[in-house]
Amino acid sequence: DLVRTVAPHAVGFDVVEVNDRDDGQAAALGGKLLREFVFAHATSERGESDV
């Protein structure tokens, strides 16, 4: 919810501190957050809401 709320008002997004020694959960979470940001940012630019 936080990413979807902030994304329309943000100009960028940075994922840091992903530990390559874990079992991939941190990288998967980073990827999911980035995907949510891009989707929320793109839909806000087109004028869509609550997709």
Side-chain angles (χ1 to χ4, degrees):
D1 291 336
L2 177 68
V3 172
R4 290 184 195 123
T5 302
V6 172
H9 308 285
V11 239
F13 187 85
D14 189 13
V15 178
V16 295
E17 302 299 330
V18 175
N19 184 355
D20 62 351
R21 295 182 190 165
D22 69 2
D23 60 356
Q25 290 181 0
L29 175 60
K32 288 178 182 180
L33 290 173
L34 182 59
R35 181 183 62 209
E36 285 294 325
F37 174 83
V38 170
F39 182 74
H41 196 268
T43 56
S44 72
E45 287 182 351
R46 292 187 300 180
E48 299 176 17
S49 62
D50 294 322
V51 175

